[in-house]
Amino acid sequence: MADDAEHRGDSIRGEGSGRDTDKESVIYTKLKDGSCKLYELEKELRPLDAIRVRRGYIEQETGTTLENLGIFSIDIERVVKRNCENMIGIVQVPVGVAGPLIVAGEYAQGSYYLPLATTEGALVASVNRGCSAITQAGGAQARILHDGMTRAPVFAADSIVHAKMVADWVADHREDLRAAAESTTSHGKMTDVVTYIAGTSVFVRIEFDTKDAMGMNMVTIASANVAEIIAQATGARLIALSGNMCTDKKPAAINGIMGRGRSVVAGIALSHDSISQIFKTDAKSMFEVNYRKNLIGSARAGSMGFNAHAANIVAAMFIACGQDAAHAIDGSTCITTVDLTDAGAYVSVTLPSLPVGTVGGGTGLETQQECLRILGVAGGGDPPGTNARKLAEIIGAGVLAGELSLLGALAAQHLARAHKQLGRG
Amino acid sequence: MADDAEHRGDSIRGEGSGRDTDKESVIYTKLKDGSCKLYELEKELRPLDAIRVRRGYIEQETGTTLENLGIFSIDIERVVKRNCENMIGIVQVPVGVAGPLIVAGEYAQGSYYLPLATTEGALVASVNRGCSAITQAGGAQARILHDGMTRAPVFAADSIVHAKMVADWVADHREDLRAAAESTTSHGKMTDVVTYIAGTSVFVRIEFDTKDAMGMNMVTIASANVAEIIAQATGARLIALSGNMCTDKKPAAINGIMGRGRSVVAGIALSHDSISQIFKTDAKSMFEVNYRKNLIGSARAGSMGFNAHAANIVAAMFIACGQDAAHAIDGSTCITTVDLTDAGAYVSVTLPSLPVGTVGGGTGLETQQECLRILGVAGGGDPPGTNARKLAEIIGAGVLAGELSLLGALAAQHLARAHKQLGRG
Amino acid sequence: MADDAEHRGDSIRGEGSGRDTDKESVIYTKLKDGSCKLYELEKELRPLDAIRVRRGYIEQETGTTLENLGIFSIDIERVVKRNCENMIGIVQVPVGVAGPLIVAGEYAQGSYYLPLATTEGALVASVNRGCSAITQAGGAQARILHDGMTRAPVFAADSIVHAKMVADWVADHREDLRAAAESTTSHGKMTDVVTYIAGTSVFVRIEFDTKDAMGMNMVTIASANVAEIIAQATGARLIALSGNMCTDKKPAAINGIMGRGRSVVAGIALSHDSISQIFKTDAKSMFEVNYRKNLIGSARAGSMGFNAHAANIVAAMFIACGQDAAHAIDGSTCITTVDLTDAGAYVSVTLPSLPVGTVGGGTGLETQQECLRILGVAGGGDPPGTNARKLAEIIGAGVLAGELSLLGALAAQHLARAHKQLGRG
Amino acid sequence: MADDAEHRGDSIRGEGSGRDTDKESVIYTKLKDGSCKLYELEKELRPLDAIRVRRGYIEQETGTTLENLGIFSIDIERVVKRNCENMIGIVQVPVGVAGPLIVAGEYAQGSYYLPLATTEGALVASVNRGCSAITQAGGAQARILHDGMTRAPVFAADSIVHAKMVADWVADHREDLRAAAESTTSHGKMTDVVTYIAGTSVFVRIEFDTKDAMGMNMVTIASANVAEIIAQATGARLIALSGNMCTDKKPAAINGIMGRGRSVVAGIALSHDSISQIFKTDAKSMFEVNYRKNLIGSARAGSMGFNAHAANIVAAMFIACGQDAAHAIDGSTCITTVDLTDAGAYVSVTLPSLPVGTVGGGTGLETQQECLRILGVAGGGDPPGTNARKLAEIIGAGVLAGELSLLGALAAQHLARAHKQLGRG
């Protein structure tokens, strides 16, 4: 393909043929003189052409050659409508697999290969090593602790007395609000509504069971309805549909404590033998790395994350599986523990807030969908919600693999140094 | 291409031709019986073949067809060595552009198109709107406040007295440690070393000017050298090269306060007119959204991020530009402010910790490199460091565009509702 | 009294007369040779004598003269049993009053003088000024948002699967646990029980309506009962009756979000005129101080407190009123807001977690009781709980006075400087 | 004394004799009609009389009898000028002693009795038990890690470019600022100045070695001078002398990371025997309580304090020793660790921020001064600063005693239950 000059920068699907070069040169002129905006190209051209023309324009404007960005196979009609505006092409993010990883969850039960999209060398190898350890030890336990996507509109009250009235009104009208919320969706169920006050600001945190969707859009639409009713009934001014007590894409204690998305925990009991054979270290060293690094180090740093590199696994699986990449933040608040036991060690990860879905968002793109299929979770589950929960359990187990591997590696170095020092002593 | 059955699932570069099907079927058998591991394929086969065979194996094991994952144009020889192990292909992440965005930084000076890799519909459009506003208003100011990548090994001391001795020893041997650190790199300069104690745990936070590299590897290698010396001289046991006071890929106050990577701030003065014309709202409404949502809401939620959706822009630009996607976490701790002024409003974003580089990591992949080229920051800068700083300033300005756009949209809705309510009154 | 040598160091109540000096000199010898411990004196002597002898012993051991510590009027029999072991006397903490302060709460309705025990000059004067402003403006609004004292035992489970089972068991047996909890108290009511998991650690946060008691003891005793049942039924090991998710005497997001003790909010609308007359500043300056200091400054510092000096008022009122002084920490997490309004400014304080009581603890000491009486809240309320809530509302209003005063003073300085600068310009 | 009706409610010093009853009744009338303010009484009357009249007025206004508040022996002339305005008397806070406690610090070396002012039963007994354990085990190690009181004025810049200029100007003029700062004090030395930017807000954190003073006033006065110079030179508007990045009386990561006041660490090695004998438990149980409660529980709660009840000891010693009670907050951020060792356990406490002084504030009150004398730290040290540091080390050791005792008690219960369960098995 690289030697096929005519197709350079084009979709390999080839639907771009039959282009109207005259029309395009007119558009170039319009782009130059500002009478056509870059984002308006789809109005004039078929999507593939619009992307090509836009990319060509950027090439000219920036004096670059963008030959690889234009190579893709995904269904562009769909993408430009749902996933990305002003498109000029795609980036290729390498996908490696780690596994097989045995997971013994409530939803994920079996052996899985984890697709990890990353450009950071050693990550896949590291997770893979963790998967081996887990699988050799019989598999990772995994459980969903809580499930609910949230949105928290913020209102302005006139006074703290008014604010309290708003909170009381919400508490007294839960069922009305639930009806209003659920009228906007055929899938979701409102599971909770909690009100928080800070002076004259009133935050109404609405929680939804969004089934197999990650559900931010669903809960936002429902919240809009609910918020309108509250504003009407109480006279409080609706300031913003999201008042940051949701909390979306910011590390926040409220998500850690109340949960957001799927709250998942995974764990594994490792014998002394397996720690010694797989990780070339011992339980005590592995414990000490976790204790001084993940617990004391994080405490001293004022960190909200008590783990080694959970976000790496979450980000790589999120990108591979078409999840919202900015949600990898939630993975970073994982708590990793290593308990010493008579038999060896019990290692766990707790992810209080993992917003995942198997329908909607980026899950429909062909490559991302293929990654979901590798895990057997593409599309809606039966019953609804089971695919998303299964995905969450698998990611939890994957994070466990990543943590185990890095802790093991650090502990092995630590042990090696200790032996060396003793040898010198 | 899609109609070319033979090439299905192959690199479009086509170097995969001439495959040895007999050898491959032997390998399949070995993979099945476990005598060859999935990650060992590159020992037996050329990279493109290894990837294809591995993907084929995963297809069989999982009963899936992975036709799109195998379509790519990036130079696989390089990728399998540096960026991704156990590779089965790539995911295609759509890239849209926002801009032109005028940036008036110290390093970035001019007009830029921001490449954003995302599958979340509306994001590019939103940032694009913010770019228009900024550009119309004359451009975003941007400054680098601090620059230093960190690594903090953790040591175990025997007692708090020993711990204090270690800290004192480090303070007394800064120059020796600097020499040891810098001996491991031809680029980096050690800029600081600070010691923190928590009981018997001693954390030595080493800071480097890593020039155009994001620099985690550089500083880790240097820290290993430094840590070895400290352990030898003080008798403290080195527990882990990273003791979480670095802090990497976890939200942490220490990064907010001391900075990590590039600390960047961006801002813009908007006139009443431009707020009214572009955002269909007024300064006061925009202020109020930021005040109740980003400041009070985040405070009430126990959040470390005081912004609307900074992580969205950081994640999208990081994926497009070959940065470490898990570092988008750092973007999420942004503080966004809207100050009311006589003329209108001054809006700013402060990103205390943005680990970016223009060399190394994923920056060498063809599609990612093209995105960096769009910004004029591919490869090392002249003088060294200027490209990475330029990238940081542009991302800062991009985050400003994203914040402006979302705050503006929320404020416009708010204003619309207010008018409607008044109309009804 | 100072001239009455014989009584130096004695209770002014004078019950110490008739001391048996022979017996005491024997005891001195025993204390010296260690055959009697300092804390055993009450076994041998009447309380007043024990205190005097103990103080005398400390004087000898440390070569000091402790003439003022021994002067007190409180009923020592009661104190040595309930409030303080190994007593040597008392410290005198000066009490000033601020007020009158008009409070328009649900429980506190009227005009109050606030007793403040402090040694920090200017504090009472500052709060007093705030009280004047509030009273002049018609009084502080105050509301209780939530009321519940908590205790969270921590259990160790064998695995995350076991942990989840424990959580499920608790959810399924709320009513049994409630009965067990309430069987330990004639006053308290269990209002909630929530379970949190971190790996194999299970935290069961039990919440009580403790009426007029601060209630830590009540909820601890009830939790012991509940915890025993959970351990028996689930096989989880009870590790500690308090697992720090309570959270007691540590700043914690969970208290901010879920509330602990009494959650109280207070606020006041100030006109432009009153801001100008009382504070010699304007609404905008007051707003800007709060905005840059209490909101942005605290955010940037990684602080959990978004206020100026709320803890000062809480600590001073807590010491005066016999509250647990270490609970002043909870006051420090206050969020203070200044909203600009057409009429001037609306200022508020939100204290999510204020553990107060009017019975038990230090509330029975004569001086502390007198302070409670000044507020009309000594002893149990009618109906039960109303006195404690009244106290919480008054403290909330007092914090508002303190915040107003300091913000006003800072704003006045700011305005003065601004005028000066303009004058020079 | 109690039977001496005439002196009821008076200072036991008796200087209140010779009162002018006519004058006082005139004043009562004036107070009633508002022509004299409560806080103006000291202008008309001698302090003792003013206090009595004010108390009498409060008695009338509130319908209470305040007979104990008026009993005190402290030198009121001094107190009304320096420590408390609008005084009506004092509260008596019981003081118990814990000890002897052997401390092996750099400044505190020897055996100490800790004065603890508290109304919370069991606290002194608990700390006393910890002191026994420590003393039996040879004494607590203690070290000062950092020493510096801070104040951080906040400035408003016009733009982020201006903000950066201010920061650069400060960095370039450190020596000028130091001279200006130190010109305001004969004792203090400026040890650091660091600038933080959040948008247009610039925070200049000035750090002082305040010798034996807690030093808030000293550094505030010095900061005022510094701030004025910065404002003049840079054109930035000084908004508030304290911009909350100090951070005073709010829990804040910046204090944990950078230190504020005295940063102190204390620790002790306990043998298996001593754990068994003194605490009736074993090292492993004590470790597990700390691990699940203080580390994992606090992490899960979003807490800034990783300890059991450090604030209790800090508050009680602060009140006894005339420290600012609201500063007990800083004690609450303590990190407590229990390391398992071959010999038993090493237990430590790390208090990053302990603002203490032995001169100024409440240290001059007679009873508080006596408590300081018990510790041998009343007044200025020789050389200056050594008394305050000694006090900090002793408090650190006291916190260690308190933590040890509570952890030991919890662990003993845990072990007892474990044995019971086994017995039943």
Side-chain angles (χ1 to χ4, degrees), chain B residues 244-291:
Chain B
N244 274 22
M245 286 198 76
C246 314
T247 301
D248 191 47
K249 293 171 183 165
K250 272 89 62 185
I254 199 169
N255 290 1
I257 290 162
M258 311 283 286
R260 187 168 195 253
R262 331 286 168 170
S263 305
V264 64
V265 60
I268 183 136
L270 295 176
S271 67
H272 287 299
D273 276 1
S274 69
I275 294 171
S276 159
Q277 281 164 27
I278 305 168
F279 295 112
K280 315 295 174 209
T281 187
D282 54 24
K284 222 172 126 188
S285 297
M286 200 178 252
F287 161 80
E288 190 168 15
V289 170
N290 192 68
Y291 174 68

Side-chain angles (χ1 to χ4, degrees), chain A residues 67-117:
Chain A
E67 56 182 2
N68 289 282
L69 283 174
I71 298 169
F72 47 81
S73 69
I74 49 177
D75 174 6
I76 242 50
E77 300 266 353
R78 187 191 158 97
V79 168
V80 298
K81 273 185 211 138
R82 302 194 188 183
N83 300 102
C84 190
E85 303 79 37
N86 254 9
M87 206 175 146
I88 59 167
I90 62 109
V91 284
Q92 302 176 30
V93 184
V95 176
V97 289
L101 172 66
I102 295 179
V103 183
E106 277 182 283
Y107 302 92
Q109 295 178 335
S111 179
Y112 301 91
Y113 286 96
L114 313 182
L116 297 149

Side-chain angles (χ1 to χ4, degrees), chain B residues 106 141-145 158-161 164 196-200 253-254 257-258 265-267 335 337 339 346 348 350, chain D residues 106 141-145 158-161 164 196-200 253-254 257-258 265-267 337 339 346 348 350:
Chain B
E106 276 182 284
Q141 301 174 316
R143 287 294 181 273
I144 302 295
L145 297 175
D158 297 332
S159 67
I160 61 110
V161 173
K164 178 66 161 47
Y196 301 93
I197 288 174
T200 56
I254 199 169
I257 290 162
M258 311 283 286
V265 60
I335 299 176
T337 62
D339 304 340
Y346 190 90
S348 81
T350 305
Chain D
E106 276 182 285
Q141 301 173 318
R143 288 294 181 273
I144 301 295
L145 298 175
D158 298 331
S159 68
I160 61 110
V161 173
K164 177 66 160 45
Y196 300 94
I197 287 173
T200 55
I254 199 169
I257 289 161
M258 310 284 287
V265 59
T337 62
D339 305 340
Y346 190 89
S348 81
T350 304

Side-chain angles (χ1 to χ4, degrees), chain C residues 17-344:
Chain C
S17 58
R19 66 176 72 146
D20 179 341
T21 44
D22 287 352
K23 189 176 178 187
E24 290 185 7
S25 67
V26 171
I27 288 174
Y28 266 107
T29 314
K30 283 178 157 182
L31 285 172
K32 286 272 182 202
D33 68 20
S35 62
C36 176
K37 301 288 185 188
L38 264 186
Y39 63 81
E40 295 172 327
L41 289 178
E42 275 79 2
K43 291 184 194 164
E44 312 267 348
L45 301 167
R46 285 173 306 171
L48 271 177
D49 295 328
I51 290 170
R52 184 174 34 73
V53 169
R54 187 179 290 116
R55 188 172 61 250
Y57 181 76
I58 297 290
E59 286 182 315
Q60 285 186 23
E61 290 291 303
T62 60
T64 52
T65 309
L66 307 174
E67 56 182 2
N68 289 283
L69 283 173
I71 297 168
F72 48 82
S73 68
I74 49 176
D75 175 7
I76 243 48
E77 299 268 352
R78 187 191 156 98
V79 168
V80 298
K81 275 186 208 135
R82 302 194 187 181
N83 301 102
C84 189
E85 302 80 37
N86 254 10
M87 206 176 146
I88 60 169
I90 62 107
V91 284
Q92 301 175 30
V93 184
V95 176
V97 288
L101 171 67
I102 295 179
V103 183
E106 276 181 285
Y107 302 92
Q109 296 178 335
S111 178
Y112 301 91
Y113 286 95
L114 313 181
L116 297 150
T118 184
T119 59
E120 300 303 309
L123 177 60
V124 178
S126 168
V127 178
N128 196 44
R129 189 162 158 260
C131 291
S132 293
I134 289 172
T135 296
Q136 235 174 288
Q141 300 174 317
R143 287 294 180 275
I144 302 295
L145 298 175
H146 184 83
D147 188 346
M149 177 48 60
T150 58
R151 191 47 102 188
V154 56
F155 302 83
D158 299 331
S159 67
I160 59 110
V161 173
H162 187 199
K164 176 66 159 48
M165 274 176 44
V166 176
D168 289 345
W169 191 92
V170 170
D172 291 344
H173 294 79
R174 286 175 69 106
E175 289 315 310
D176 299 343
L177 297 177
R178 183 195 310 274
E182 295 183 358
S183 72
T184 64
T185 162
S186 54
H187 303 293
K189 296 288 159 198
M190 195 180 96
T191 48
D192 207 359
V193 54
V194 190
T195 308
Y196 301 94
I197 287 173
T200 56
S201 296
V202 184
F203 303 85
V204 182
R205 194 174 193 256
I206 298 155
E207 188 182 83
F208 255 68
D209 176 354
T210 60
K211 306 300 176 189
D212 287 305
M214 180 267 276
M216 286 257 294
N217 285 345
M218 185 194 297
V219 69
T220 301
I221 292 164
S223 295
N225 228 15
V226 167
E228 202 60 55
I229 292 170
I230 294 172
Q232 294 282 345
T234 65
R237 291 180 296 123
L238 174 59
I239 299 302
L241 261 182
S242 160
N244 275 21
M245 287 198 77
C246 315
T247 299
D248 192 46
K249 293 170 183 167
K250 272 88 63 183
I254 199 170
N255 291 1
I257 290 162
M258 309 283 286
R260 187 169 194 253
R262 328 287 167 171
S263 306
V264 64
V265 60
I268 182 134
L270 294 176
S271 67
H272 287 299
D273 275 0
S274 69
I275 294 170
S276 159
Q277 282 164 29
I278 305 167
F279 295 113
K280 315 296 173 208
T281 188
D282 55 24
K284 222 173 126 186
S285 297
M286 200 176 253
F287 161 79
E288 190 167 17
V289 169
N290 191 69
Y291 174 67
R292 294 198 189 263
K293 170 188 173 67
N294 287 348
L295 298 181
I296 296 175
S298 284
R300 194 70 174 81
S303 178
M304 270 192 196
F306 295 81
N307 61 79
H309 71 142
N312 270 336
I313 292 86
V314 173
M317 289 194 70
F318 272 29
I319 296 171
C321 297
Q323 309 299 307
D324 191 335
H327 276 148
I329 289 156
D330 292 285
S332 71
T333 60
C334 170
I335 298 177
T336 298
T337 62
V338 176
D339 305 339
L340 289 173
T341 61
D342 291 340

